[in-house]
Amino acid sequence: MNVAVERLDSEWVNSWCKQVSAALGPLMSSFLETHGFPPGENDVALATDESHEATDELVDLTPIPSDLTTLYWVISEVSLPDIENGYFVHSPAVVAEHFREYGPVRVDDESPGIVFASDGGGRLFAVAGSGRVWRSTTASWFDDFEVAAVSIQEFLGQIGQRVAGQS
């Protein structure tokens, strides 16, 4: 199933970063009172020269989908351990390290997927050539993957809604 989806735009990613970061402030300030324990390190880390170099290395290593390149041009990584079960967008250096160690993942009848994120339960998120985001059905690189979002933008939008929903 090929779904025509607009390519990810760096301005949209920048806006997403600002919205999520703004929502995290009040959420984390009341976290201890609400949950009875202190929050972890919840952060949207913007790209740096070092992460741009790591993105370039990742592009040289594998046929990285263009939306993932756009994402890493804006974001270095995302760590949201206190949003639901936790969400983590791995740094491009970690993605490259995992790709070298485990290789691509098989996702349905698409080109191989590149794991770029995970949740607190160990499930993995991969993006394939179509731009769709796939979630592992178990905490494994080698089990089945199911569609989680039609694009990285939708995937990030889902996470943004979860952050806003906890505020």
Side-chain angles (χ1 to χ4, degrees):
M1 173 173 110
N2 279 338
V3 177
V5 177
E6 254 184 67
R7 302 302 349 156
L8 188 62
D9 178 70
S10 61
E11 288 181 29
W12 184 92
V13 178
N14 272 312
S15 175
W16 180 86
C17 292
K18 290 175 186 173
Q19 290 172 357
V20 169
S21 294
L24 282 173
L27 180 61
M28 293 303 110
S29 68
S30 64
F31 193 89
L32 178 60
E33 182 180 321
T34 303
H35 298 284
F37 58 91
E41 295 281 329
N42 291 271
D43 186 41
V44 176
L46 297 178
T48 63
D49 289 343
E50 185 178 323
S51 70
H52 284 166
E53 289 175 23
T55 300
D56 290 342
E57 291 173 16
L58 182 60
V59 167
D60 291 343
L61 178 66
T62 181
I64 181 173
S66 64
D67 284 358
L68 195 56
T69 305
T70 301
L71 176 71
Y72 284 138
W73 203 249
V74 179
I75 295 173
S76 171
E77 63 186 311
V78 176
S79 178
L80 301 171
D82 297 310
I83 303 303
E84 292 182 348
N85 196 34
Y87 291 95
F88 307 91
V89 174
H90 307 160
S91 72
V94 167
V95 172
E97 179 184 323
H98 287 163
F99 188 84
R100 283 185 199 96
E101 187 171 342
Y102 302 108
V105 294
R106 302 298 306 154
V107 290
D108 201 22
D109 59 350
E110 285 196 43
S111 60
I114 298 170
V115 172
F116 74 100
S118 60
D119 68 16
R123 290 183 189 225
L124 305 171
F125 294 93
V127 62
S130 69
R132 288 192 284 183
V133 175
W134 297 78
R135 178 182 54 237
S136 63
T137 56
T138 64
S140 172
W141 288 78
F142 308 107
D143 282 338
D144 292 330
F145 281 73
E146 60 191 11
V147 175
V150 298
S151 65
I152 290 177
Q153 183 169 329
E154 182 179 276
F155 173 73
L156 293 174
Q158 291 169 357
I159 292 172
Q161 289 172 352
R162 290 177 174 113
V163 171
Q166 277 190 237
S167 299

